[in-house]
Amino acid sequence: MSKLSDYLPPDFKPFVSSDAYKQKQRRLISEKEQSQSVVFLHSVSEVFDALNLHDGMTFSFHHHLRNGDKVIGLIGEEVHRRGLKDMTFAASSLFPNHASLVDLIKEGNVSGIIANYANGPVAKAISMGLLKKPFIMDTHGGRARAIESGDLMIDVAFIASPAVDKAGNGTGRFGPSACGTLGYAIPDLHYAKKVVLISDYQMDHIEEAELNHRYVDYVVMVDKIGDSEGIVSGTTKVTRDPVGRKIARDTVMVLDKLGLIKEGFSMQTGAGGISLAVVEYVKDLMIRQNIRARFASGGITGQYVLMHEQGLVETLYDVQCFDLRAAKSYRENRRHVAISASEYGNPFEPSPIVDQLDFVVLGATEIDLNFNVNVTTDSLGEIIGGSGGHADTAHGAKVTVVVTNLLKARLPIIKEHVTTLTTPGSDIDILVTERGIAVNPIRIDLMNQLKQKGIQIVKIEDLMQLSYQIAGVPKTLSHEKTIIGYVRYRDGSIIDVLYKKM
Amino acid sequence: MNRCFLFVPGNNPAMLQNADIFHADAVIFDLEDAVSVSEKDAARQLLKHFFETLTKQPYDIYVRINALTSSLGAEDLSSILSDCIKGIVLPKAHTEDIKALTKLLETFEAAKRMKNKTRIIPIIETAKSVLEIEAMAQLPRISGMLLGAEDLTSDMEIERTKVGIEIEYPRAKMAYACKAFGLDAIDTPFTDVDDEAGLKADTIHAQKLGMNAKTAIHPNQVETINQIFSPTEAQIRWARRIVIADTEAQLKHLGVFSLDGKMIDKPVVDRAKKLLEKAKHYHMLGEISDE
């Protein structure tokens, strides 16, 4: 049987364990030279001329404007217009509105893409094998590590900045495209060879700017950098689906029985419907038992803002705002604190926020009998997402709970083996489904605690069999063995390969 | 002893499949209002096959058939009746309808060689049926009565409100009749599925009038209903102390004793014992520690 290492180029190391980084030294390249003065330009084209941009360069982007971002499209357009070839686009995430990149991929303008998450036409095109170079998928914390270590060398960081001031500072707090914090852009700002802020709103002066002008070479003013409505994450409404709500209720019951919801606790959840319902139930419990949390972190939603404003959560550590209410809160609340991607999840940071979490509640596209989780591809191997902070928080939090329906669209979610490995099972502690709660056997402590509290625990194997009884055994995918990319774990090792979709 | 009767449309495969996960004590699979006329046949077929594939379920199975005034009701019975069904929920029920249904059930049960006698829950949803509550409660096969406030208020030509003052009389009458004849007194559904506070208030009110169960028209309502019709942790602790103190008093041949400065006599002890029985039935005893 072939090993992962058999598929890897010599400069890629296979994943060993989620703790392996502890044996490694932090690698840091020099921070970028500080600019003497910031030059203001009026078009993207002028920047290309000023920086003498050429074939084969790597440009980076953040995804704080999410599906409302126009900056990647603007830069792509200029690359195409100039006929530049073999460019690499390193975006922290790619969304359906970045569809214009597909033509650039087809025509060879863009031959490499690096991202932590990809969904939409670009992901589809990559899955079909259209990208010339292998697609690299990082985690949020892993991308910060890759940048600071030089694994990801950025020639020019094009940073969408919702507001800039006359000195060249930038912020996400103000302007028509205000999106809140800019945590994913900070490593790019500090380590890219050149930094260009792209903005559509200029102010006299910005207090406490996230993007310090000392790192900025150019500011380009354009008509529009994005649509702030588009920064709203996929799901921001608490699910009304009774199955999702049952899963959320059971999750909070488990967290409560484990004694994790106590005075001064810390938590993170995703922005999916079930996660939002979890937050709602946690909040109810906190009010009933007069409990206050020390912090909530991650992508911050309006729900967390409300809890903060009601005095239930002391501090919000926010790497990206998931909705406009969060963006507004970041502007107004002193304890709504911006953190960089590195401070959030870089394993080599002395104490990243993810390591301080008491618990995290995460989703899964697939989970296997070893509790390995896939949030990168669907069961046919097509890229539909990516780790984002999944692997970072799963490793850092004291308890990681995965919530999922046992069946989605009549497909069993528990597999013998995940199609693509995003987060290792060693970092997943508990699985909550509508038909039972499974605990990873390596967390015998949690299992005993829950059993003592009268909670019925089932084996993950039994849950899988139950789903098979309902929906039948799914056929195994025999995919084409053409490698189109790599899933890079947060420590820089390769945890899985991505195959071309048949 | 059922607390919540969850309505599930008989023509929705996903909802049938998930009927067991919400901890409803009973599920009423609906062939009446939730299924349009054009889908009645398909719903019957779906439900029939669903029952055939069912293994042991954690809830009592009821089916709301169509009224016997049309041929649909008999067709429903002919198609779906089986031993896995605990009872039939009969809409617009009056004494004569229940007698007619009983006869039909006897015929089908014999034809299908069923082992169990199917129970009947009439829906009280006309002014006439309110007047017949006592008579209906005494008929064989009746296991409970269900109040249908929407149709009842329509029949009475009065406004249906969230406060429910207009159904105070039938609620109380039904609760007393059910208690007298050992039946489930099942309250009318709360129709605003997004109003959790309203559901809670309405259920507490019904409970105070003597209802012991309520229907849910959405799975999200089940938990609230179950909570309200279950003993609280404090009540269970209280009941345990009473029963322990009573055992000790009996050893001392005391008929009346005092606990925490209050006199405890037989009615209080009986109430405590009933409460613990309920708690045991709902698997609540293991979850609560003595403090």
Side-chain angles (χ1 to χ4, degrees), chain A residues 240-243 245-246 249-250 257 280-281 407 434-435 453-454 470, chain B residues 17-23 193-196 218-220 223 286-287:
Chain A
R240 292 295 304 161
D241 166 43
V243 177
R245 289 186 78 84
K246 178 186 161 42
R249 268 198 310 273
D250 288 350
K257 297 286 181 193
E280 188 180 276
Y281 289 125
L407 299 162
E434 73 275 26
R435 289 181 182 277
K453 299 273 183 181
I470 297 169
Chain B
Q17 194 62 59
N18 286 330
D20 60 333
I21 67 172
F22 302 108
H23 306 301
V193 293
D194 292 323
D195 181 1
E196 284 181 30
H218 193 283
N220 288 345
E223 196 195 17
E287 294 173 22

Side-chain angles (χ1 to χ4, degrees), chain B residues 217-258:
Chain B
I217 52 165
H218 193 283
N220 288 345
Q221 296 182 323
V222 175
E223 196 195 17
T224 301
I225 294 171
N226 277 351
Q227 261 176 15
I228 291 166
F229 287 114
S230 301
T232 63
E233 291 188 12
Q235 285 173 328
I236 292 171
R237 287 197 187 97
W238 167 82
R240 274 177 172 161
R241 291 186 66 218
I242 297 282
V243 170
I244 290 167
D246 177 57
T247 311
E248 288 166 2
Q250 296 231 359
L251 288 173
K252 294 175 192 165
H253 304 288
L254 296 173
V256 178
F257 58 96
S258 98

Side-chain angles (χ1 to χ4, degrees), chain A residues 22 80 114 129 184 268 286 372 375 380 398 495 501:
Chain A
K22 290 175 181 168
H80 190 251
I114 301 167
Y184 297 124
Q268 183 169 331
M286 291 170 74
N372 294 311
V375 287
L380 299 172
K398 289 185 189 76
I495 195 164
K501 196 191 165 198

